[in-house]
Amino acid sequence: MAKVIKPNKLDLLECSVAESDDVDGVAWDETTTYSQGQKVRYEHVSYESLANSNKANKPSETWSGTEAKWKKLGATMPWRMLDDFVETKTSGPEGQPLTFTVPFSRATAFALLNIEGAAVHVRVMDADEGVFFEQTYSIIKDIGDFSLYSYNFDEMEAVDTLLATDLPMPLSGTLAVEIYPGEGFAASVGHVIVGRDRSLGGTLYDAEVGITDYSKKETDEFGITTFVRRSYAKVANLKLYLHPSQSDLVAAILQDLRATPALWLGDNVDNGYTALTVFGWVEDWRSVYSGPNEQQLSVEVQGLI
């Protein structure tokens, strides 16, 4: 069944990576005067000063508008995994595992997006009930994913998305993750999602996936083309089947997700095609009642970078 996970708001309970002055900027202080270009961090977000003699201007309140004092740069290193972007990553030191813990309360699913490493260990547990779920994943693709030629001569490929649904639901649990790096690499994760998974229907053939590319391409008067490689976002148009008896429930789910980032699982199994997994918002959806026992549902999803 195709599913959607509406993310819970998460806090970072533990992380092996700490905020630092070098990477994230110095901790903002109300009594300190900052010069133009100086970098600070405040409430897990990094900012850059836009003016000299910048004193007592709280970054979270003065980073926008015509008289902005600060430029918002984004989440600090440990908190990048919990911002609104998939491509910004929390990375550990080279050769060392990246470990972190987030709440897993009233949730039945988790997802790790844009991960890099060799293996991942995941544990969901409750302080009273103990371990609800524990699994170790290899994120290097298995030989079955390659032709014999590719396995022997091409570079090894890794899975960039891990997820699990239909898990037992603790009332007040935690999700603990350890990402082990490959040799000579750093372990990292782009986005962490925890929430309840809801079934939408069975994905039919003719599901469509693609990307919106924000790269810049310009051709001058002499026919010379230059490229500036930028971010991209996934897009999907999912064709689903469900029984009309589920119509009101699915419609309520989709209406609730208006203008809300969520994780859309287009394949009918968790370990299926990750190309059909998109973190984004529902751009449009349409239902066609094809008969007394059949409803066709089309869901368009616009991904986030």
Side-chain angles (χ1 to χ4, degrees):
M1 296 288 285
K3 300 175 181 178
V4 62
I5 304 172
K6 183 179 180 180
N8 295 346
K9 184 174 178 57
L10 297 180
D11 192 11
L12 191 58
L13 303 178
E14 295 179 359
C15 186
S16 59
V17 177
E19 293 178 331
S20 68
D21 294 351
D22 291 339
V23 176
D24 305 307
V26 298
W28 179 79
D29 181 75
E30 188 176 21
T31 62
T32 301
T33 300
Y34 299 98
S35 58
Q36 184 176 0
Q38 194 164 356
K39 189 176 176 181
V40 302
R41 66 179 189 271
Y42 180 74
E43 295 182 340
H44 311 304
V45 178
S46 296
Y47 299 86
E48 180 183 322
S49 177
L50 296 176
N52 291 313
S53 304
N54 191 352
K55 181 180 180 181
N57 295 303
K58 188 176 292 185
S60 61
E61 298 175 356
T62 57
W63 67 271
S64 63
T66 56
E67 299 182 0
K69 301 296 184 181
W70 296 96
K71 177 183 177 181
K72 188 176 182 179
L73 301 177
T76 56
M77 177 61 75
W79 290 79
R80 291 177 187 176
M81 70 175 83
L82 300 182
D83 62 12
D84 293 327
F85 305 97
V86 177
E87 68 175 9
T88 56
K89 292 185 175 185
T90 297
S91 299
E94 182 179 313
Q96 298 182 25
L98 171 64
T99 65
F100 59 89
T101 304
V102 296
F104 195 90
S105 302
R106 299 188 180 276
T108 58
F110 72 84
L112 308 175
L113 309 181
N114 198 13
I115 52 176
E116 289 191 27
V120 179
H121 181 77
V122 178
R123 183 175 66 254
V124 176
M125 64 181 302
D126 181 88
D128 297 323
E129 301 295 333
V131 177
F132 276 59
F133 173 86
E134 188 165 14
Q135 183 75 41
T136 298
Y137 301 88
S138 172
I139 55 178
I140 303 299
K141 288 187 176 180
D142 188 77
I143 187 173
D145 296 316
F146 300 89
S147 68
L148 183 60
Y149 178 89
S150 295
Y151 184 80
N152 284 286
F153 298 106
D154 292 345
E155 292 185 5
M156 296 300 293
E157 297 180 15
V159 176
D160 65 357
T161 300
L162 281 181
L163 62 93
T165 63
D166 296 321
L167 302 181
M169 183 171 65
L171 295 179
S172 182
T174 58
L175 171 71
V177 178
E178 299 173 84
I179 304 177
Y180 302 99
E183 186 176 351
F185 293 91
S188 63
V189 59
H191 199 64
V192 178
I193 293 173
V194 168
R196 291 186 63 186
D197 60 282
R198 308 296 297 272
S199 295
L200 300 175
T203 302
L204 298 171
Y205 291 112
D206 293 330
E208 301 176 8
V209 293
I211 66 168
T212 300
D213 187 5
Y214 297 104
S215 298
K216 185 177 180 181
K217 300 167 282 289
E218 291 186 346
T219 303
D220 63 20
E221 58 184 325
F222 300 102
I224 298 175
T225 302
T226 57
F227 299 89
V228 178
R229 189 181 175 94
R230 294 179 178 172
S231 300
Y232 71 91
K234 296 172 71 173
V235 293
N237 187 353
L238 305 177
K239 314 293 186 180
L240 308 178
Y241 161 85
L242 63 154
H243 193 276
S245 63
Q246 299 297 307
S247 176
D248 289 348
L249 174 62
V250 172
I253 293 172
L254 295 174
Q255 290 166 13
D256 179 58
L257 289 172
R258 290 177 296 112
T260 301
L263 187 66
W264 303 83
L265 314 180
D267 207 314
N268 291 320
V269 291
D270 287 356
N271 60 348
Y273 297 113
T274 56
L276 288 166
T277 300
V278 182
F279 177 63
W281 71 94
V282 56
E283 184 79 13
D284 189 26
W285 63 274
R286 290 288 185 272
S287 285
V288 177
Y289 292 83
S290 305
N293 296 310
E294 182 176 351
Q295 179 184 353
Q296 302 282 341
L297 178 64
S298 176
V299 181
E300 295 182 17
V301 180
Q302 173 62 58
L304 294 165
I305 62 173

